[in-house]
Amino acid sequence: MKTRILGKDLKVSAVGLGCMGMSHAYGPASDRAEMTDLLLKALETGYNFFDTAEVYGTWDNPHHNEELLGEALKGYRNEIVLASKCGIRFDESSPLVNKPLIPDGRPETIHKSIDGSLKRLQTDHLDLYYIHRVDPKVPIEETAGAMKELIEAGKITHWGISEADEQTLRRAHTVCPVTAVQNRYSMMYRDYEALFPVLEELQIGFVAFSPLANGFLTAKYDANSKFEKGTDYRSAMPQFSPEGMEKNQELISCLYRIADRKDATPAQISLAWMLAKKPWIVPIPGTRKYSRLIENAQAADLVLTEAEVEEIDRMLDTVPMSEVFGGSKIVKK
C-alpha cells in the first residue's frame, strides 16, 4: 500500500486500520482467533497503521482491544505503527447505549495509563499516543507536558489529540509538537475541514475516524438492517434510523453513480475523496470482515482528479442528508 507522513516523520500506510469495532460499539466482541487472523491478513495486505485505545472493550474486559492487538501483533512490532489513547472513561451509570465520556487529562493519569497500555500491547513504546478527549478541567499545556515527558522517557515517540480544535492545538503544540489530530471526518461530517489551514501551517497530520460515517457510506444498509440494542451504537445513530435511511437515499444514489463511473464501490469513493483532499489525511476505517479490509485498502490506489473532488463537494453541499452520529457526550464528574 502507498504510504503517507503524519507530522514531520511518522510514515504510515495511506489507509490505517481502526480496531475499535473488533471489541467495542458494534455488537459483542468478535471471536479473538478470527480477529487475530484478520489482523495478520491486514499486515499481508499492506496495512501498517493500527489504532486502538485503552477503553475499547466490553463491560467485563474493558481492555479487550489492546490485549487482542498485543498478542496478535507482538511478532511484527518492528513492522507496524501502533497507536493508542488515554484520558477518558465511560460513565457506566448511564443507561445510554453510547455512554457519555468522562475526560481525565491529568499528568498522573497519563503516566499511569501508558504503563498499562504498554503491558497489554506487549511493547516498550508506542509510535503514537493520543489524549482521547480534551479535559476542560486540565489546561492542555499540562497534558502536553506529560506527553513530552513520555517522549523523553522513550515510552512514546509521537503524540496527538483526538477531537481537537484550533486553539487547543496551538497551545499544545507550543509545549510539545503535535504529530496528529484524530477527528471525526466523512462525507457526512465535514466540520473539521475548517481546521485544515492550521494543520498545514503547523505540519500536523489528520487521522480521520469514522471515515465511512460508522459504515453507512458503504451503502450496504437499508431499513431492514438490524443492530443489537445495548452493544451496537448504530442502533441509536441517526443515519441508521428509518428516517435517516430515507433522507439519505439521494446521497447513496449519487455515490453509486460516481462509483460506477470509476469502477469502484461507494466506500472506496468515500475514502479516495478524503485521500485526495490533502496528502496528510489518513482514514482509519474499521471492519471485522476480510472482504471489507481489502476493499478499503484498494481505495488508496483510486485516484480522483481535482475536478472530481470538486464535483463531489458540490454534491455534498446540496444533497439532502440526515444528522450523523457526532460522538458520545462529554460529562463532568
Side-chain angles (χ1 to χ4, degrees):
M1 196 191 300
K2 294 175 182 176
T3 59
R4 295 192 158 200
I5 300 293
L6 295 174
K8 294 183 178 178
D9 61 4
L10 188 60
K11 182 185 284 189
V12 299
S13 50
V15 177
L17 183 59
C19 300
M20 179 187 77
M22 298 177 180
S23 306
H24 177 81
Y26 288 82
S30 291
D31 179 78
R32 191 176 290 248
E34 290 179 6
M35 292 303 98
T36 297
D37 183 60
L38 188 66
L39 287 165
L40 297 181
K41 282 185 167 64
L43 273 170
E44 294 172 3
T45 304
Y47 291 88
N48 84 333
F49 186 30
F50 296 85
D51 182 90
T52 184
E54 65 177 351
V55 294
Y56 293 163
T58 59
W59 68 269
D60 59 333
N61 184 3
H63 306 304
H64 182 279
N65 204 242
E66 284 190 331
E67 292 173 358
L68 167 67
L69 267 65
E71 187 63 29
L73 299 174
K74 62 182 179 182
Y76 306 89
R77 185 63 188 92
N78 294 332
E79 302 173 30
I80 65 174
V81 175
L82 199 52
S84 192
K85 312 177 197 74
C86 67
I88 60 169
R89 59 188 174 88
F90 293 104
D91 181 3
E92 294 295 344
S93 66
S94 171
L96 297 174
V97 178
N98 48 325
K99 298 186 184 304
L101 306 175
I102 303 170
D104 185 351
R106 293 174 297 167
E108 56 265 37
T109 299
I110 293 170
H111 281 283
K112 181 180 179 181
S113 290
I114 187 62
D115 290 336
S117 288
L118 292 178
K119 183 177 180 180
R120 289 185 291 271
L121 288 163
Q122 302 190 41
T123 184
D124 62 356
H125 76 282
L126 291 182
D127 304 292
L128 182 55
Y129 198 43
Y130 299 96
I131 189 72
H132 208 151
R133 290 293 185 274
V134 175
D135 186 344
K137 302 189 302 296
V138 178
I140 194 62
E141 290 83 356
E142 293 184 18
T143 299
M147 292 294 189
K148 185 177 182 180
E149 290 170 357
L150 295 187
I151 292 173
E152 292 169 347
K155 292 184 178 182
I156 67 175
T157 59
H158 305 78
W159 84 287
I161 310 177
S162 188
E163 294 286 83
D165 59 22
E166 178 179 349
Q167 182 186 31
T168 302
L169 268 179
R170 289 191 183 279
R171 290 168 54 196
H173 195 73
T174 300
V175 177
C176 184
V178 177
T179 291
V181 296
Q182 185 178 134
N183 288 1
R184 182 180 305 276
Y185 184 42
S186 73
M187 286 183 169
M188 297 184 75
Y189 194 97
R190 296 181 291 154
D191 299 32
Y192 285 115
E193 288 183 351
L195 201 59
F196 287 179
V198 181
L199 300 180
E200 199 108 56
E201 174 195 338
L202 300 180
Q203 202 172 343
I204 297 173
F206 189 111
V207 177
F209 76 86
S210 299
L212 297 174
N214 307 98
F216 186 83
L217 295 172
T218 62
K220 296 297 184 183
Y221 299 94
D222 59 29
N224 297 314
S225 299
K226 304 295 182 185
F227 306 107
E228 183 167 316
K229 295 185 182 299
T231 58
D232 195 325
Y233 284 18
R234 291 171 296 184
S235 64
M237 289 182 183
Q239 66 266 40
F240 291 100
S241 68
E243 300 80 14
M245 290 279 188
E246 183 177 353
K247 191 167 187 179
N248 293 323
Q249 281 310 299
E250 186 176 344
L251 169 64
I252 295 302
S253 296
C254 289
L255 264 180
Y256 267 119
R257 284 198 297 272
I258 298 167
D260 288 345
R261 203 167 69 213
K262 298 292 288 187
D263 192 25
T265 67
Q268 288 171 339
I269 295 296
S270 298
L271 295 174
W273 164 80
M274 67 175 62
L275 287 167
K277 286 274 184 174
K278 298 290 181 182
W280 34 260
I281 293 177
V282 177
I284 51 167
T287 188
R288 299 182 179 191
K289 298 178 180 178
Y290 177 66
S291 60
R292 190 75 67 205
L293 189 81
I294 298 298
E295 179 183 355
N296 293 341
Q298 290 172 344
D301 296 319
L302 181 59
V303 177
L304 296 178
T305 66
E306 186 176 336
E308 287 172 328
V309 172
E310 290 175 356
E311 175 195 352
I312 292 171
D313 284 345
R314 286 194 298 271
M315 179 270 289
L316 296 175
D317 285 338
T318 57
V319 73
M321 208 177 291
S322 76
E323 292 293 315
V324 67
F325 180 61
S328 301
K329 293 181 180 178
I330 301 289
V331 296
K332 298 178 182 179
K333 287 210 172 182

